[in-house]
Structure formats: C-alpha cells, structure tokens
Amino acid sequence: MNIRQLLDQRVSNALISAGASKDVSAVIKQSNKAQFGQYQANGVMGAAKKLKMNPRQLATQVVDALDLSDIADKVEVAGPGFLNIHLKPEWLSQQLELALNSDKLNIEQIKQPQTVVIDYSGPNLAKEMHVGHLRSTIIGDAIVRVLRFIGHRVIPQNHVGDWGTQFGMLLAHMNDLQSVDNELSMQLSDLEAFYRDAKKRFDAEPDFAKTARAYVVKLQAGDPNCLLLWQQFIDISLQHCEDVYQRLNVLLTRNDVMPESAYNDDLPQVIADLRDAGLLTEDQGAQCVFLEEFKGKDNKILPAIVQKSNGGYLYATTDLAALRYRYNKLHADRILYFVDARQSLHLNQVFAIAKKAHFVAPETQLEHMAFGTMMGKNGKPFATRDGGTVKLIDLLKEAEQRAFDLVNEKNPDLDEAERKAVAQTVGIAAVKYADLSKNRSSDYIFNWDTMLSFEGNTAPYLQYAYARIQSIFRKAGEFDHNAILNLIETPEKQLAIKLLQLPEAIEIVSKDGTPNILCNYLFELAGNFMTFYEACPILKADKEIKNSRLKLAKLTAKTLKTGLDLLGIKTLERM
RNA sequence: GCGCCUGUAGCUCAGCUGGAUAGAGCAACGGCCUUCUAAGCCGUGGGUCGCAGGUUCGACUCCUGCCAGGCGCGCCA
C-alpha cells in the first residue's frame, strides 16, 4: 500500500470534481509537522491559480468533494490553501497488520513489468578493482534488487574491459615469466603490481615494447597461443573481481559478464549499418557520426568517432554494439548505465546515434545514472602516496579490521567466530552505506574515517536497531499474534506511519536510481524505533500493550531487514 | 572558448514534481546505564542556503547574469 499514491488519486479526483483540469496534480507530501497531520496536499493553490479562483475557496470545494472517511479522521484547510490530512489510527493499524502478514510488506507488484538491463561495475580487467569502482558496483546492485523486488525483469550486465592495446604488454610480460617456475602465478596474485611492472618494462625496454605491440596484433588476429595466454589472464582477473563481489555481497556472477571482446565480431556490421542509415561521415580519415545536438567550440558539431583512420574501432562502436544486443537479444525496455559522469557526453552521443540508427526502439528508455569522481581530502583526484589508487580489496579489509577491533571492545563475550562474522558484516555494510547514502552527481570526497565510521547515520546504526529487536524477541517468548495493534503514545504513532512509507521510498528509487532515498528512509525508521524503544517499554508493559508493541517491533525488524536487503546489506541477530 | 555537474552549519551531507519556523550525522558542550544491547537516547550552541536580479500569494528548489570548484570537448576507455 502506497499511501501517497492513494491520496494522490483521491485528492486529484476531488480537484477535478471541483473544476480543475484532468492533468492536475494533488502534490501530496509527507507533512513535516505533526500538527499538519501525516500528509498534506499542496496542489490546490496551483490549481486555483489556473482556474483564477481564490485558493481557499477551491480548497473548501475540494474538501466537500473528497471522501476520505474510510482512512482519515479529518481533512482541514490551512494557510493559503493547504489540505492537511489526519489519518485514522485504526486505519493505520489495519495497514500495519496487512504488512505484517504479507511476505513483501504489502508492497504492490508493478502493473506493467519492464525488462530492465542494468550496466554496472564494468571494471577494466587489465588492473585490479580500486575504490573508484565502488559506486557503480554497489549502486547498480541496489537498483537491480529494488527493480526485481517490485516485479521488473532485470538483467545485469557487467561490461568488463578485456580488450585493447594494454593487453599486449601484459601478455608479453606473462610470456616472459612463464619460463620461470611458479613465478607467474605468484605475480598474478597482485594484478596491480603486475600491471605496474609490465608498464615499467614497456617504457624502459625498447625490445619489450616491440614484443608487446606484436602481441596486440597477434591477439587481434586470433593467434591461438596468444588467445590462450589472454584467456588465462582474464580468468584470473575475473576471479579477483568475484572475490571482491562476494565480499561486498554483490549479486554479479560470471553469467552477468558480457565483456567488450564479445562485441568484436559485430563491430564491422555496426559501421556498415550506420553507413546504410546515412549517419556516417569520413573526416580526416576517420569514420564519424555528426549530430547537430552536440556542438562544441565555435558552434561546430562534435563528432563521435566510430572507426579510426587506421581501421580500428573505439569504445563508442562497442557501446553501440552492446546497445543493439541489449535491445535485440535481451529485449530491453529500459537500459540503465551506472557510469562515471565524465562519460556523459559520450553516452549521450551513443544514445542519440542508437535512436537515429534504429538500433533501439524510439520508446526504449536509455538513462545515464551518472555519479562524480572520487576525490581526496584536498579536493584533488584521489591517489595514494605512490601515485596509484587504493585497491578496493584493501579498503574492505581495513573496514573489517576496524569493525573487529570495535566488536572486541563492545561485545567481548561473543565467541571469536561470531565476533569475526559480526566484524565482516558490519565493516562491509559501513563502507557500502557510506557510499549508497549520498546522492552526488558531482564529485565526492573519499575519507577513510567517514567511510569506516560506525556511529550516527551509518549502516551499523540500522543493524543495531535490528539486533536490539531480535534481542527483545529472544527474551519475549511467544506473543499473541491476534493481539490488537493499538497506537497510543506519540512515539508509537510516529513509528507506525514511518513503517508504512517504505513503498514511497522504493517508488522514487526505482524511478531515479537513487538508493540514498532508501538509506534516508531506513535511517529515519531506525531513529523512530530508537525513540520508541527508549520511551515505551515493551516487555515490562501490561499484556495488551506489550503484545501491541511487540507487533510494532516485529514489523520494524521486518521492514529494516527488507530495506537493508534491497541495499545489499546484511542484518545481524546480535552485535 | 563551448558544454555538463556542483556550491546549504566548523567538517561530511539530506532537503522528492516550488509550500508553512531549512534538517541529519560528525565535531563542541550538558544530561541519561541496579529497568528490553550506551554502536544508543534526551538536550544546548552553530546557517545572509556562493553573489545579484527576476517570476510567484510563496523560491534552497524555477529563469537570467556573475563568482568559485570539478569534469568533458577527434582517432585511449
């Protein structure tokens, strides 16, 4: 049950009865003051302006036409024309019961499910994943979970970079090390160092550089030995990624990997089809697509180069092939790209070209869910002292270590295995939440301490609220599930209404790809629970009150678990 | 030069299609553990929402200009 949607329909209809046009919006919002009820309709004033009416007069007419007697105690006109809606406690109780007895918290499945392709993570297999890959990976993953939860058919796509000139030097370096026993497998355990070594040799040793270039040519020509070596490297690199995914509790598996190289065979056809569509222009020897909507300096149209003057293809070509595959083979209705904001121009060009070339349908939704670059404390692009980026795996290990230190301090009575397990869950959760809870399309600051904080608006706070509830139930024994849920105290009422607002958060997240809305909701929910927990004793209360409060606690736990699960964050029975 | 993004409390950030007195967390200060886990709760202090105009009954939100930062603009991805 989405209360906002329900009220939107009812109030919109009342507005129309009162004379407003069909496209009127009731503008239903959650009230930020208890005195204004739980919801308010702000659309009357806008509608009055269009009708050239006195807003308060229209508001009165809307109230007359509005029948909310089944769900609200009163609807009052306030200020210049607000409608304040006070929901019935009995109706709220009834909704809470429905959520409690439903396996999906009484959240409706979407009426018209779409096939949604989600492009996320997409690491470059030449190197190890670093902290910059975090955002795409975990935001994309959260959106996969949310869209699936409400009934969409979701197809994750991990568009990994497994092709390009850099593999020449890596393969050449591999080949040299292969002759030394065990040296190769050892060196490949640290891909970052392996890449650095290869690069160093490439820059310093002319013979090596020559061999490396030859390897690129051989690889592209399909030389069997070269392909074998390449496949070996890719397997190891993917294994590194999978270790990180597993640690991060991210859904991606090898089945979701659709690497760049998979599109190689289709690239000449992409060019041919662009030519047939009349979109191709040769410029300075390169094959380009010029679209009027993309203008650069002096009002000159910016090209999207799809084939180099030497015949080679570029990432625009690959992305077009991928887009076509996603539409033709995966039957996507909507394709979401969780990719760095710096690729905004590139992706918008690709989208526009794909539409013009009919690689996708006119109504196919193509959306770049952009996010900013990771910066250091000084506001400059993030880098460690030696100039490299921080490996993602190192951040995760540090998170687990700090969490372990804290568990040892807070809860020394747990046995070591459980303390380790708690530390792992809490540490990873903290890192994920730190990133998921921000909505920055611009650049953002990477900071060890905020990322690894366990206090305040963090994942451990939410996990702690959950663990507290579980503790209550361990002590409560059986409780009467038929007991009446009675909302009396203010903290009970505030918790109750918050419990019913998860669908509204999910609605926004599924539309905009913004998990921070869900984070914010869960933080508020946990906060309302904490207040309730402090103010309203549960186990010590009289039987009826106790049972009623146990129900509220039960639903809070259920909602927290569901919400955290949608974020890819695990809950704990105790911590 | 052109384009995209960003500017909210000391720090990190919320603020949903314009709505009522701009909210959290951290940091600071003051309370609360013989009572369901103190990773918590309650309270205090702290903001010309970058600046200046405009639209509106009403602007952090929309429009214009300026200032500051980041990023992107032909054969890397």
Side-chain angles (χ1 to χ4, degrees):
Chain A
M1 166 58 57
N2 185 323
I3 302 177
R4 199 201 58 79
Q5 265 177 12
L6 174 71
L7 291 174
D8 198 308
Q9 278 167 15
R10 299 270 193 108
V11 177
S12 293
N13 286 339
L15 269 161
I16 292 165
S17 313
S21 66
K22 287 252 189 311
D23 61 347
V24 74
S25 170
V27 193
I28 304 293
K29 302 215 169 192
Q30 297 171 12
S31 298
N32 48 10
K33 293 272 188 297
Q35 66 194 90
F36 301 146
Q38 289 79 36
Y39 285 85
Q40 59 187 63
N42 298 339
V44 177
M45 293 166 283
K49 187 184 287 182
K50 278 191 186 162
L51 296 171
K52 298 198 162 72
M53 278 179 75
N54 176 311
R56 282 197 66 106
Q57 191 194 333
L58 179 63
T60 310
Q61 290 178 16
V62 171
V63 172
D64 289 344
L66 181 64
D67 183 12
L68 291 179
S69 58
D70 51 336
I71 64 176
D73 279 336
K74 60 177 176 184
V75 179
E76 52 191 9
V77 178
F82 299 106
L83 293 187
N84 291 337
I85 300 165
H86 300 257
L87 296 169
K88 278 185 180 172
E90 311 86 71
W91 184 75
L92 293 177
S93 298
Q94 195 188 326
Q95 295 307 311
L96 293 169
E97 294 281 5
L98 288 172
L100 205 46
N101 295 318
S102 139
D103 56 346
K104 279 196 171 183
L105 295 165
N106 198 29
I107 295 173
E108 302 98 333
Q109 293 292 287
I110 205 88
K111 287 179 192 70
Q112 293 172 316
Q114 291 181 304
T115 296
V116 186
V117 168
I118 304 189
D119 182 319
Y120 69 108
S121 196
N124 178 357
L125 296 185
K127 300 180 186 180
E128 226 162 299
M129 289 180 82
H130 56 84
V131 288
H133 290 107
L134 190 62
R135 285 224 120 172
S136 175
T137 304
I138 64 179
I139 297 179
D141 197 62
I143 300 306
V144 168
R145 292 167 189 262
V146 168
L147 292 180
R148 261 188 201 149
F149 183 78
I150 58 176
H152 291 295
R153 181 167 168 262
V154 179
I155 307 176
Q157 288 281 281
N158 195 357
H159 191 78
V160 301
D162 66 341
W163 204 250
T165 52
Q166 55 202 333
F167 284 93
M169 68 182 194
L170 295 171
L171 298 187
H173 191 44
M174 269 177 91
N175 192 51
D176 289 354
L177 290 175
Q178 220 170 21
S179 48
V180 188
D181 276 350
N182 289 330
E183 189 59 24
L184 181 60
S185 62
M186 217 177 69
Q187 298 257 344
L188 284 174
S189 65
D190 187 345
L191 278 185
E192 206 57 31
F194 188 88
Y195 185 93
R196 270 202 305 273
D197 292 347
K199 182 82 168 76
K200 210 181 288 171
R201 292 186 66 193
F202 186 84
D203 292 337
E205 305 170 28
D207 284 350
F208 179 81
K210 201 174 155 191
T211 312
R213 287 196 196 91
Y215 266 96
V216 177
V217 177
K218 277 159 79 178
L219 183 63
Q220 281 171 347
D223 175 86
N225 285 331
C226 229
L227 279 175
L228 203 65
L229 215 52
W230 172 73
Q231 194 57 57
Q232 198 186 340
F233 184 90
I234 295 303
D235 280 344
I236 291 168
S237 188
L238 273 175
Q239 190 57 54
H240 280 257
C241 294
E242 280 159 5
D243 289 347
V244 171
Y245 295 151
Q246 199 171 18
R247 227 178 241 261
L248 273 175
N249 189 29
V250 157
L251 298 168
L252 286 170
T253 68
R254 209 162 278 219
N255 289 334
D256 306 313
V257 172
M258 190 62 188
E260 287 180 347
S261 63
Y263 301 105
N264 283 350
D265 293 346
D266 191 37
L267 300 181
Q269 194 58 47
V270 167
I271 302 297
D273 291 342
L274 289 174
R275 183 172 288 119
D276 289 348
L279 292 167
L280 222 52
T281 309
E282 186 170 319
D283 195 74
Q284 296 167 39
Q287 298 301 322
C288 307
V289 180
F290 289 93
L291 293 179
E292 282 200 17
E293 50 264 55
F294 301 101
K295 286 180 179 166
K297 48 186 138 188
D298 309 328
N299 241 9
K300 220 176 116 184
I301 301 174
L302 294 172
I305 303 181
V306 290
Q307 190 173 21
K308 298 194 270 190
S309 49
N310 69 4
Y313 302 105
L314 293 120
Y315 73 140
T317 332
T318 311
D319 279 336
L320 284 166
L323 207 38
R324 185 151 79 164
Y325 166 80
R326 290 162 187 187
Y327 177 71
N328 287 335
K329 295 287 197 299
L330 301 180
H331 308 293
D333 299 308
R334 187 182 183 202
I335 309 177
L336 307 180
Y337 288 76
F338 287 90
V339 174
D340 191 297
R342 284 174 291 185
Q343 300 208 28
S344 181
L345 174 63
H346 162 251
L347 280 177
N348 285 324
Q349 285 179 321
V350 167
F351 294 166
I353 293 168
K355 292 245 161 153
K356 285 217 159 72
H358 303 293
F359 286 177
V360 299
E363 67 275 11
T364 308
Q365 295 169 256
L366 306 175
E367 298 168 49
H368 179 198
M369 301 291 184
F371 49 82
T373 310
M374 181 172 286
M375 315 289 264
K377 277 181 183 171
N378 52 8
K380 290 178 186 160
F382 187 73
T384 49
R385 281 155 298 277
D386 61 347
T389 46
V390 170
K391 285 200 264 181
L392 189 44
I393 195 82
D394 290 341
L395 173 67
L396 302 184
K397 284 178 181 167
E398 174 73 13
E400 290 176 16
Q401 183 56 50
R402 289 200 197 187
F404 188 57
D405 293 345
L406 192 62
V407 186
N408 288 337
E409 179 194 320
K410 299 269 182 194
N411 227 333
D413 295 339
L414 297 178
D415 62 60
E416 177 158 349
E418 184 164 5
R419 289 200 310 274
K420 281 245 161 75
V422 168
Q424 204 178 351
T425 302
V426 167
I428 297 299
V431 169
K432 293 184 78 167
Y433 187 88
D435 222 358
L436 286 170
S437 61
K438 290 173 181 60
N439 175 31
R440 283 281 144 201
S441 48
S442 66
D443 304 332
Y444 62 109
I445 308 286
F446 176 89
N447 181 305
W448 286 97
D449 292 330
T450 33
M451 202 144 234
L452 301 177
S453 163
F454 303 125
E455 286 171 19
N457 188 0
T458 63
Y461 179 81
L462 306 181
Q463 292 171 316
Y464 184 62
Y466 181 85
R468 276 181 146 182
I469 297 170
Q470 297 313 301
S471 175
I472 291 172
F473 279 97
R474 277 194 296 275
K475 291 176 177 165
E478 278 301 302
F479 79 96
D480 184 5
H481 292 266
N482 295 318
I484 295 164
L485 217 166
N486 208 357
L487 305 172
I488 303 160
E489 306 291 336
T490 303
E492 293 178 307
K493 290 178 186 164
Q494 287 181 337
L495 177 58
I497 186 68
K498 188 60 76 179
L499 281 167
L500 295 172
Q501 291 171 333
L502 176 62
E504 298 171 34
I506 288 178
E507 181 191 6
I508 297 170
V509 176
S510 66
K511 190 160 53 80
D512 299 338
T514 49
N516 66 303
I517 300 290
L518 182 53
C519 292
N520 194 43
Y521 166 78
L522 292 173
F523 178 62
E524 286 173 0
L525 174 64
N528 285 353
F529 175 78
M530 294 293 194
T531 302
F532 161 77
Y533 178 92
E534 300 281 342
C536 307
I538 299 173
L539 298 178
K540 293 204 154 190
D542 292 343
K543 197 175 158 197
E544 282 177 18
I545 297 177
K546 173 181 156 184
N547 283 326
S548 173
R549 288 179 178 168
L550 279 172
K551 278 194 161 181
L552 272 180
K554 190 92 184 166
L555 185 57
T556 304
K558 209 173 160 182
T559 307
L560 282 171
K561 191 178 177 62
T562 302
L564 285 170
D565 188 56
L566 290 176
L567 295 172
I569 292 175
K570 292 177 184 168
T571 44
L572 290 159
E573 296 306 302
R574 59 174 64 108
M575 62 187 275

